[in-house]
Amino acid sequence: MTDTPSPGRQFAFLLVDKFSMFSLAAAIDTVRSANRLLGRDFYGWTTVSADGDSVIASNGLPIKIDYAITDLPVVDILFVCAGLSYEFPGKSKVLGALRSLGRRGAALGGLSVGSYLLAEAGQLEGHRCTIHWENKAGFKERFPEIDCTGNVFEIDRKRYTCAGGTTSIDLMLEIIRTDFGQNLANEVANQFQHERIRSAGDRQRVGPERDLTGKSEKLRRIVELMADNLDEPYSAVQLAKSAGLSVRQVERLFLRHLNMTPGRYYMRLRLERARELLRQTNMPILDVAIATGFTSHSYFAQSYRLLFGRPPSEERRTTY
């Protein structure tokens, strides 16, 4: 264990309408557990909103707020907690406050979609970050100059971002590890039955197969290559070569582990990315098709309908 830091650390969680309750609870309970194991309240936390009024989470529960953003005292890190929507009452006030804090050198973080608001406020320029996989496509279209890695969390100087959900635990465990060492981080993880503490280098979900843990390393390498090259898809020969296999061996690998051919799996990845872009951006449908490797609008529409049961135009009209 490292020397005990003093006198403690204070975190603030800026909540916006329809934020993710799970992401918030995972972050707070992780440091609460650390306090319990330490036998003292080293970590403190407070809640913040645009105007100091309570905020409704995405699950419908209201959360009491301690401070309006303009009245927030000095804290060690301010985490932005967002969820289902980028638009909410008081957004301009929140973005202005984030810019002001950034100019003063404050440490800022984002849980789940909170990274999007940090980027809108200009606080991720020149920094690595991450965001929930479902929002990554829209994020990269809106902020192409920002290095959004898609990993479970990123800490780059004074910017702390994670993909939300259980990755909030991993991010806070990394902060605890930095403050007190690996032993305490492991003890806290055990309190939550958190089987493996993920590092910043661990990737989020990379395709329709939600969990490739325990499957062939060569399969995972090929799937990651597919996910990183959706606009200009690799050929079967290129994919096989990347893993040191023959095309036939790759086909057998996918059929054994994923019960589908590599071509069908790659198509699903591309179409899932297309659906994310249709839902999250205002890109013309033809541009969405091109961004996901389709050169024919009609073939894109046909493939989309075949997988999702509706044409791309209908997906765009649906509100989520």
Side-chain angles (χ1 to χ4, degrees):
M1 182 176 292
T2 60
D3 292 339
T4 302
S6 181
R9 301 187 74 178
Q10 186 72 22
F11 302 137
F13 295 90
L14 172 58
L15 311 183
V16 304
D17 192 42
K18 298 182 180 178
F19 73 93
S20 168
M21 177 74 81
F22 189 93
S23 297
L24 173 68
I28 291 178
D29 256 18
T30 300
V31 292
R32 177 203 58 78
S33 181
N35 285 345
R36 174 173 170 269
L37 293 171
L38 287 167
R40 63 192 180 94
D41 292 336
F42 177 81
Y43 295 105
W45 54 87
T46 191
T47 54
V48 190
S49 70
D51 52 14
D53 293 338
S54 63
V55 179
I56 306 297
S58 59
N59 61 9
L61 292 177
I63 297 298
K64 180 180 176 294
I65 297 298
D66 299 314
Y67 295 100
I69 186 63
T70 52
D71 299 326
L72 178 67
V74 175
V75 296
D76 290 280
I77 307 174
L78 171 67
F79 292 96
V80 181
C81 306
L84 295 180
S85 178
Y86 304 138
E87 303 301 326
F88 52 89
K91 180 177 178 178
S92 60
K93 185 182 297 185
V94 165
L95 294 182
L98 291 175
R99 294 186 186 105
S100 177
L101 287 167
R103 286 192 296 269
R104 298 202 299 268
L108 301 172
L111 307 183
S112 187
V113 190
S115 303
Y116 197 98
L117 298 179
L118 288 177
E120 279 196 293
Q123 298 309 303
L124 292 179
E125 295 174 4
H127 292 81
R128 291 188 318 278
C129 74
T130 192
I131 196 169
H132 189 277
W133 64 264
E134 195 174 33
N135 304 92
K136 185 182 176 186
F139 183 96
K140 291 182 75 68
E141 286 297 324
R142 174 74 186 276
F143 309 105
E145 73 286 354
I146 296 177
D147 183 11
C148 185
T149 66
N151 292 336
V152 292
F153 70 84
E154 288 287 353
I155 299 177
D156 188 356
R157 290 156 289 170
K158 290 187 174 183
R159 296 296 178 266
Y160 301 75
T161 57
C162 75
T166 58
T167 71
S168 295
I169 297 177
D170 295 293
L171 174 61
M172 303 312 283
L173 286 174
E174 177 60 20
I175 292 173
I176 292 167
R177 186 196 66 78
T178 300
D179 289 341
F180 290 98
Q182 191 64 53
N183 287 342
L184 181 61
N186 289 340
E187 290 177 30
V188 173
N190 289 339
Q191 292 293 313
F192 295 100
Q193 303 292 325
H194 198 57
E195 293 185 3
R196 184 176 74 87
I197 300 177
R198 290 169 290 187
S199 71
D202 282 304
R203 292 172 62 96
Q204 293 181 64
R205 165 262 197 202
V206 294
E209 185 71 14
R210 296 297 191 263
D211 186 9
L212 297 177
T213 302
K215 300 191 185 296
S216 164
E217 180 60 34
K218 291 188 175 182
L219 174 68
R220 295 178 63 184
R221 189 183 312 160
I222 294 171
V223 168
E224 289 180 4
L225 190 63
M226 289 177 170
D228 289 338
N229 295 276
L230 301 180
D231 54 342
E232 296 183 3
Y234 275 37
S235 68
V237 173
Q238 289 173 311
L239 291 172
K241 186 176 180 181
S242 72
L245 300 173
S246 68
V247 172
R248 182 66 176 164
Q249 286 174 316
V250 172
E251 289 177 350
R252 287 199 295 265
L253 193 64
F254 272 74
L255 288 170
R256 181 166 69 251
H257 290 288
L258 302 177
N259 199 33
M260 67 178 72
T261 65
R264 183 181 171 195
Y265 188 91
Y266 210 167
M267 177 66 75
R268 285 185 63 183
L269 282 180
R270 292 161 59 196
L271 290 170
E272 284 202 345
R273 172 63 59 80
R275 181 167 63 175
E276 292 167 13
L277 290 172
L278 288 168
R279 290 178 173 181
Q280 300 171 26
T281 75
N282 294 318
M283 292 173 64
I285 292 177
L286 179 58
D287 289 352
V288 171
I290 293 171
T292 49
F294 292 90
T295 56
S296 164
H297 181 280
S298 59
Y299 181 51
F300 169 65
Q302 177 186 2
S303 301
Y304 196 96
R305 181 191 289 271
L306 188 63
L307 181 62
F308 297 120
R310 64 172 72 186
S313 56
E314 187 175 325
E315 191 77 65
R316 168 77 24 105
R317 291 194 296 269
T318 303
T319 299
Y320 292 89

